Amino acid sequence: MDPLSQFLTGPRAQAAFTLRVTMDPPFAIDVQDQAALTVIAAIQGGAWIIAAGTDPQFLAAGQAATVRGPAPYVVADAPDRAATVVIGPGQSCRTPAGDHVDVTMSHGVRSWGNSPDGDTVLLIGTYQSSAAAGQLAVSALPPLAVFDTQETDPALLGLIEREMSRPAPGQESALDRALDLLLLHLVRASVDRADAAGPSWATGTRDPVVARALEVLHAEPASAWTVAELAKRAHVSRATMASRFQAAVGQPPMTYLAAWRLALAADRLASSTATTAAIAQDVGYSSAFAFSAAFSRAYGVSPTGYRRAAEVS
């Protein structure tokens, strides 16, 4: 199973924060919510998105953007606009002076802004936290990306806007799934772009030899893989597999496999009650101790600590 399929199969968006934002200029929303990933779609008008380390990008009507967290970013009517509103953790909303405006800028369920009929209408979906398998999927995205109308499905944007516009049974689940599907479209578009930055699993899928290796690694992560066995599956020499995988993905096959196993484990820790020992066995570790040590090195926290943090978020 490839990372995008894993992303949709696993419990990705769960009660994701979704909002219809209506703004009249001047406005500058300083987003400091520390969310893992945000998807923004412009339905009407447009806005600038300013993120550290990247050039400001304009989001026009019909386009969508992704912003990888947890670093802050700004959504504004002008790239040099001073902040008019600050969004903090937990989606708290205040002025730069510290006055809370959560209520005064609310216009009903899932609707917010400085004007109920603003010239600019944005749909915002926020993944507050990401299980690591999802993070592996969105690693194909740069810190900030804007996708044009050919890369964004207008029908899907329309569906999301209609779901946000009025309360209905099952609305939260419907929005979660629609947000996942929109993100899938955008990740695919990022993978397809000729200027995709740097080697990754995404660029690896363009090489048929590497794509075959990725396919079997994703499908059978717990198997006792070796470079020689991967080469045999792809009908190439061991040296060819090693060199082409390194060039396409940016790391050796076994290093990638270790990261994928831990990503799957993190996903299970965040979304299930399975024991650490059971998860370790499922992803290919011989003992819970070996798994715990590897996980702690990679994530800076024990499996138990990671599960607790996921429960809090």
Side-chain angles (χ1 to χ4, degrees), residues 11-299:
R12 294 278 70 76
Q14 290 187 330
F17 182 77
T18 52
L19 195 65
R20 185 176 186 269
V21 176
T22 55
M23 303 293 287
D24 275 332
F27 68 88
I29 307 168
D30 185 1
V31 184
Q32 303 179 18
D33 61 359
Q34 301 178 11
L37 179 72
T38 301
V39 179
I40 306 171
I43 301 302
Q44 177 180 304
W48 288 89
I49 305 178
I50 303 98
T54 66
D55 293 331
Q57 297 196 47
F58 187 72
L59 181 68
Q63 294 184 323
T66 54
V67 187
R68 292 177 60 184
Y73 62 95
V74 174
V75 179
D77 68 302
D80 55 353
R81 182 76 66 195
T84 57
V85 180
V86 179
I87 307 298
Q91 303 303 322
S92 64
C93 179
R94 66 185 190 279
T95 67
D99 299 321
H100 286 274
V101 290
D102 305 73
V103 175
T104 57
M105 293 184 69
S106 175
H107 305 301
V109 178
R110 302 185 192 278
S111 183
W112 177 95
N114 65 9
S115 169
D117 302 306
D119 290 338
T120 295
V121 178
L122 305 174
L123 305 182
I124 299 180
T126 301
Y127 291 78
Q128 306 285 2
S129 62
S130 290
Q135 285 289 66
L136 197 62
V138 300
S139 65
L141 295 168
L144 168 63
V146 172
F147 300 88
D148 62 30
T149 53
Q150 286 74 39
E151 298 170 310
T152 304
D153 188 336
L156 187 52
L157 296 187
L159 171 64
I160 295 172
E161 184 181 25
R162 289 194 299 275
E163 280 292 332
M164 285 188 182
S165 297
R166 59 184 179 84
Q171 182 186 56
E172 189 172 272
S173 295
L175 283 171
D176 285 350
R177 299 289 74 77
L179 180 60
D180 281 346
L181 189 55
L182 175 58
L183 179 59
L184 172 64
H185 277 271
L186 301 182
V187 173
R188 279 178 173 172
S190 184
V191 171
D192 290 340
R193 286 180 170 182
D195 60 351
S200 69
W201 69 264
T203 53
T205 60
R206 300 174 185 173
D207 181 323
V209 169
V210 178
R212 176 57 179 158
L214 289 170
E215 179 184 351
V216 297
L217 290 177
H218 294 151
E220 306 170 41
S223 296
W225 292 109
T226 63
V227 177
E229 181 59 27
L230 289 177
K232 181 179 178 182
R233 293 289 189 101
H235 307 291
V236 296
S237 70
R238 183 185 183 282
T240 296
M241 172 59 70
S243 62
R244 287 174 67 163
F245 198 103
Q246 175 74 45
V249 181
Q251 55 188 330
M254 296 302 101
T255 302
Y256 178 87
L257 173 60
W260 176 240
R261 284 172 169 171
L262 293 177
L264 292 174
D267 197 36
R268 291 281 304 281
L269 287 166
S271 62
S272 77
T273 58
T275 65
T276 299
I279 293 172
Q281 183 176 19
D282 288 346
V283 299
Y285 280 86
S286 58
S287 71
F289 177 80
F291 163 66
S292 182
F295 191 93
S296 299
R297 283 195 303 271
Y299 289 87

